[in-house]
Amino acid sequence: MIHSSALVDPAARLGEGVCVGPWCEIGASVEIGEHSSLAPHVVITGPTSIGAGNKVYPFNSIGADSQDKKYAGEETHLEIGNSNVIREFCTINRGTAQGGGVTRIGNDNWIMAYVHIAHDCQIGHGAVMANGTSLAGHVTVQERVTFGGFTLVHQFCRIGAHSFTAMGTVVRKDVPPYVMVAGNPARPRGLNVEGLRRHGFSPETVRRLRQAYRIVYRKGLPLDRAVTELEAIAQACPEVANLAAFIRDSPRGIVR
């Protein structure tokens, strides 16, 4: 199912049922899993590995060289999982030797138009990245994060699981799990309660996370004391333990 106008390198490996639209270009060292589809004008260079059931819309550049002045042509990789949707005009770059050599994207991510994912980013599963979201190099995104349109994330930041950024947010520090942030620079705007409910968190878990949010953001405690209080209640709630560990291990500091 390869259109006659597409240019597919003979060394590329395409799984069963892959559909390649008109005027696509697929380079050597590219692997695409079964039942993935490429709309017209998609360019994929390698080494790039793309899993099964992905849907890529027109005018995407996937697997191009890192936009990093240190990059000197060494072999680096891009790995994309299964069942992702990548809308129009996105740019997803391979890694750099200095950053581990691999940019990774997990499964079931919804990547909307004009998104940029830079070198060495590590994206988990189930993210929603609205139009114009841009991740600088070495950003780590945990599970089921929602990015509002035109969110910008600084290099080396970590974005915690089930967090939420509002439209136009500029993230310069780590965003803890379960927290909503907004503004330039990003500031906390409460617990992502609606997102937690949509993903099946129990009322009791939400209650305990509200308590944890108050400890971190409302009591005026130094951060080390806030983490100590979180750890004191963490045994009753794994999500609070996750929040405490994220804050304790943050090299950049958190949005606060």
Side-chain angles (χ1 to χ4, degrees), residues 207-217 230 233 240 243:
R207 185 188 70 80
R208 291 187 179 276
L209 285 172
R210 285 184 187 274
Q211 179 185 3
Y213 184 90
R214 288 193 294 270
I215 289 170
V216 176
Y217 290 107
L230 291 180
I233 63 172
V240 174
L243 176 61

PDB file of all heavy atoms in Angstrom, residues 207-217 230 233 240 243:
ATOM      1  N   ARG A 207      -9.018  13.203  47.395  1.00  0.00           N
ATOM      2  CA  ARG A 207      -9.017  13.914  48.681  1.00  0.00           C
ATOM      3  C   ARG A 207      -7.601  13.984  49.259  1.00  0.00           C
ATOM      4  O   ARG A 207      -7.169  15.039  49.741  1.00  0.00           O
ATOM      5  CB  ARG A 207      -9.954  13.220  49.664  1.00  0.00           C
ATOM      6  CG  ARG A 207     -10.108  13.958  50.993  1.00  0.00           C
ATOM      7  CD  ARG A 207     -10.893  13.142  52.001  1.00  0.00           C
ATOM      8  NE  ARG A 207     -10.148  11.990  52.473  1.00  0.00           N
ATOM      9  CZ  ARG A 207      -9.202  12.051  53.410  1.00  0.00           C
ATOM     10  NH1 ARG A 207      -8.865  13.214  53.961  1.00  0.00           N
ATOM     11  NH2 ARG A 207      -8.575  10.963  53.795  1.00  0.00           N
ATOM     12  N   ARG A 208      -6.896  12.875  49.231  1.00  0.00           N
ATOM     13  CA  ARG A 208      -5.547  12.854  49.792  1.00  0.00           C
ATOM     14  C   ARG A 208      -4.589  13.716  48.963  1.00  0.00           C
ATOM     15  O   ARG A 208      -3.697  14.365  49.512  1.00  0.00           O
ATOM     16  CB  ARG A 208      -5.040  11.415  49.893  1.00  0.00           C
ATOM     17  CG  ARG A 208      -5.775  10.605  50.951  1.00  0.00           C
ATOM     18  CD  ARG A 208      -5.150   9.245  51.166  1.00  0.00           C
ATOM     19  NE  ARG A 208      -5.844   8.488  52.199  1.00  0.00           N
ATOM     20  CZ  ARG A 208      -5.604   8.607  53.501  1.00  0.00           C
ATOM     21  NH1 ARG A 208      -4.686   9.461  53.924  1.00  0.00           N
ATOM     22  NH2 ARG A 208      -6.274   7.877  54.375  1.00  0.00           N
ATOM     23  N   LEU A 209      -4.787  13.746  47.655  1.00  0.00           N
ATOM     24  CA  LEU A 209      -3.940  14.602  46.825  1.00  0.00           C
ATOM     25  C   LEU A 209      -4.256  16.086  47.053  1.00  0.00           C
ATOM     26  O   LEU A 209      -3.358  16.930  46.986  1.00  0.00           O
ATOM     27  CB  LEU A 209      -4.106  14.241  45.341  1.00  0.00           C
ATOM     28  CG  LEU A 209      -3.414  12.940  44.918  1.00  0.00           C
ATOM     29  CD1 LEU A 209      -3.807  12.569  43.483  1.00  0.00           C
ATOM     30  CD2 LEU A 209      -1.894  13.071  45.031  1.00  0.00           C
ATOM     31  N   ARG A 210      -5.493  16.400  47.338  1.00  0.00           N
ATOM     32  CA  ARG A 210      -5.819  17.785  47.725  1.00  0.00           C
ATOM     33  C   ARG A 210      -5.071  18.166  48.999  1.00  0.00           C
ATOM     34  O   ARG A 210      -4.534  19.282  49.117  1.00  0.00           O
ATOM     35  CB  ARG A 210      -7.325  17.938  47.944  1.00  0.00           C
ATOM     36  CG  ARG A 210      -8.181  17.975  46.690  1.00  0.00           C
ATOM     37  CD  ARG A 210      -9.631  18.236  47.090  1.00  0.00           C
ATOM     38  NE  ARG A 210     -10.569  18.143  46.019  1.00  0.00           N
ATOM     39  CZ  ARG A 210     -10.884  19.133  45.180  1.00  0.00           C
ATOM     40  NH1 ARG A 210     -10.275  20.300  45.293  1.00  0.00           N
ATOM     41  NH2 ARG A 210     -11.796  18.953  44.246  1.00  0.00           N
ATOM     42  N   GLN A 211      -5.057  17.251  49.955  1.00  0.00           N
ATOM     43  CA  GLN A 211      -4.324  17.485  51.196  1.00  0.00           C
ATOM     44  C   GLN A 211      -2.837  17.692  50.908  1.00  0.00           C
ATOM     45  O   GLN A 211      -2.194  18.609  51.449  1.00  0.00           O
ATOM     46  CB  GLN A 211      -4.511  16.288  52.139  1.00  0.00           C
ATOM     47  CG  GLN A 211      -3.762  16.411  53.466  1.00  0.00           C
ATOM     48  CD  GLN A 211      -3.885  15.144  54.310  1.00  0.00           C
ATOM     49  OE1 GLN A 211      -4.478  14.145  53.877  1.00  0.00           O
ATOM     50  NE2 GLN A 211      -3.332  15.169  55.510  1.00  0.00           N
ATOM     51  N   ALA A 212      -2.279  16.878  50.026  1.00  0.00           N
ATOM     52  CA  ALA A 212      -0.872  17.010  49.667  1.00  0.00           C
ATOM     53  C   ALA A 212      -0.602  18.342  48.975  1.00  0.00           C
ATOM     54  O   ALA A 212       0.416  19.001  49.239  1.00  0.00           O
ATOM     55  CB  ALA A 212      -0.462  15.845  48.763  1.00  0.00           C
ATOM     56  N   TYR A 213      -1.521  18.762  48.102  1.00  0.00           N
ATOM     57  CA  TYR A 213      -1.357  20.050  47.420  1.00  0.00           C
ATOM     58  C   TYR A 213      -1.318  21.197  48.424  1.00  0.00           C
ATOM     59  O   TYR A 213      -0.500  22.119  48.309  1.00  0.00           O
ATOM     60  CB  TYR A 213      -2.492  20.256  46.411  1.00  0.00           C
ATOM     61  CG  TYR A 213      -2.352  21.521  45.603  1.00  0.00           C
ATOM     62  CD1 TYR A 213      -1.670  21.518  44.403  1.00  0.00           C
ATOM     63  CD2 TYR A 213      -2.899  22.733  46.060  1.00  0.00           C
ATOM     64  CE1 TYR A 213      -1.528  22.680  43.659  1.00  0.00           C
ATOM     65  CE2 TYR A 213      -2.750  23.883  45.327  1.00  0.00           C
ATOM     66  CZ  TYR A 213      -2.071  23.867  44.131  1.00  0.00           C
ATOM     67  OH  TYR A 213      -1.923  25.022  43.406  1.00  0.00           O
ATOM     68  N   ARG A 214      -2.191  21.134  49.408  1.00  0.00           N
ATOM     69  CA  ARG A 214      -2.194  22.194  50.423  1.00  0.00           C
ATOM     70  C   ARG A 214      -0.873  22.231  51.182  1.00  0.00           C
ATOM     71  O   ARG A 214      -0.369  23.317  51.513  1.00  0.00           O
ATOM     72  CB  ARG A 214      -3.364  21.989  51.392  1.00  0.00           C
ATOM     73  CG  ARG A 214      -4.722  22.303  50.791  1.00  0.00           C
ATOM     74  CD  ARG A 214      -5.798  22.401  51.860  1.00  0.00           C
ATOM     75  NE  ARG A 214      -6.029  21.118  52.518  1.00  0.00           N
ATOM     76  CZ  ARG A 214      -6.911  20.212  52.099  1.00  0.00           C
ATOM     77  NH1 ARG A 214      -7.640  20.441  51.013  1.00  0.00           N
ATOM     78  NH2 ARG A 214      -7.084  19.084  52.768  1.00  0.00           N
ATOM     79  N   ILE A 215      -0.296  21.065  51.463  1.00  0.00           N
ATOM     80  CA  ILE A 215       0.981  21.019  52.176  1.00  0.00           C
ATOM     81  C   ILE A 215       2.079  21.701  51.354  1.00  0.00           C
ATOM     82  O   ILE A 215       2.880  22.482  51.872  1.00  0.00           O
ATOM     83  CB  ILE A 215       1.363  19.563  52.489  1.00  0.00           C
ATOM     84  CG1 ILE A 215       0.433  18.995  53.567  1.00  0.00           C
ATOM     85  CG2 ILE A 215       2.817  19.450  52.935  1.00  0.00           C
ATOM     86  CD1 ILE A 215       0.578  17.496  53.769  1.00  0.00           C
ATOM     87  N   VAL A 216       2.111  21.426  50.056  1.00  0.00           N
ATOM     88  CA  VAL A 216       3.189  21.956  49.199  1.00  0.00           C
ATOM     89  C   VAL A 216       2.979  23.426  48.875  1.00  0.00           C
ATOM     90  O   VAL A 216       3.937  24.211  48.884  1.00  0.00           O
ATOM     91  CB  VAL A 216       3.288  21.124  47.905  1.00  0.00           C
ATOM     92  CG1 VAL A 216       4.340  21.716  46.960  1.00  0.00           C
ATOM     93  CG2 VAL A 216       3.638  19.678  48.221  1.00  0.00           C
ATOM     94  N   TYR A 217       1.715  23.817  48.634  1.00  0.00           N
ATOM     95  CA  TYR A 217       1.467  25.132  48.047  1.00  0.00           C
ATOM     96  C   TYR A 217       0.713  26.118  48.926  1.00  0.00           C
ATOM     97  O   TYR A 217       0.676  27.307  48.614  1.00  0.00           O
ATOM     98  CB  TYR A 217       0.706  24.961  46.724  1.00  0.00           C
ATOM     99  CG  TYR A 217       1.556  24.353  45.645  1.00  0.00           C
ATOM    100  CD1 TYR A 217       1.359  23.043  45.231  1.00  0.00           C
ATOM    101  CD2 TYR A 217       2.581  25.081  45.039  1.00  0.00           C
ATOM    102  CE1 TYR A 217       2.141  22.479  44.235  1.00  0.00           C
ATOM    103  CE2 TYR A 217       3.361  24.530  44.041  1.00  0.00           C
ATOM    104  CZ  TYR A 217       3.144  23.230  43.654  1.00  0.00           C
ATOM    105  OH  TYR A 217       3.932  22.673  42.665  1.00  0.00           O
ATOM    106  N   LEU A 230       4.701  15.328  53.456  1.00  0.00           N
ATOM    107  CA  LEU A 230       4.131  14.418  52.461  1.00  0.00           C
ATOM    108  C   LEU A 230       4.506  12.976  52.769  1.00  0.00           C
ATOM    109  O   LEU A 230       3.669  12.072  52.695  1.00  0.00           O
ATOM    110  CB  LEU A 230       4.617  14.785  51.057  1.00  0.00           C
ATOM    111  CG  LEU A 230       4.112  16.088  50.441  1.00  0.00           C
ATOM    112  CD1 LEU A 230       4.704  16.269  49.053  1.00  0.00           C
ATOM    113  CD2 LEU A 230       2.589  16.107  50.368  1.00  0.00           C
ATOM    114  N   ILE A 233       2.420  11.102  55.315  1.00  0.00           N
ATOM    115  CA  ILE A 233       1.078  10.615  54.962  1.00  0.00           C
ATOM    116  C   ILE A 233       1.110   9.715  53.727  1.00  0.00           C
ATOM    117  O   ILE A 233       0.063   9.255  53.266  1.00  0.00           O
ATOM    118  CB  ILE A 233       0.109  11.786  54.729  1.00  0.00           C
ATOM    119  CG1 ILE A 233       0.551  12.643  53.533  1.00  0.00           C
ATOM    120  CG2 ILE A 233      -0.021  12.641  55.978  1.00  0.00           C
ATOM    121  CD1 ILE A 233      -0.469  13.706  53.130  1.00  0.00           C
ATOM    122  N   VAL A 240       0.460  10.060  46.676  1.00  0.00           N
ATOM    123  CA  VAL A 240       1.172  11.052  47.491  1.00  0.00           C
ATOM    124  C   VAL A 240       2.650  10.688  47.588  1.00  0.00           C
ATOM    125  O   VAL A 240       3.529  11.559  47.524  1.00  0.00           O
ATOM    126  CB  VAL A 240       0.535  11.173  48.883  1.00  0.00           C
ATOM    127  CG1 VAL A 240       1.368  12.088  49.786  1.00  0.00           C
ATOM    128  CG2 VAL A 240      -0.896  11.712  48.777  1.00  0.00           C
ATOM    129  N   LEU A 243       4.239  11.821  44.432  1.00  0.00           N
ATOM    130  CA  LEU A 243       4.431  13.262  44.455  1.00  0.00           C
ATOM    131  C   LEU A 243       5.637  13.645  45.297  1.00  0.00           C
ATOM    132  O   LEU A 243       6.479  14.457  44.883  1.00  0.00           O
ATOM    133  CB  LEU A 243       3.173  13.943  44.983  1.00  0.00           C
ATOM    134  CG  LEU A 243       3.217  15.463  45.162  1.00  0.00           C
ATOM    135  CD1 LEU A 243       3.466  16.161  43.832  1.00  0.00           C
ATOM    136  CD2 LEU A 243       1.919  15.965  45.788  1.00  0.00           C
TER     137      LEU A 243
END
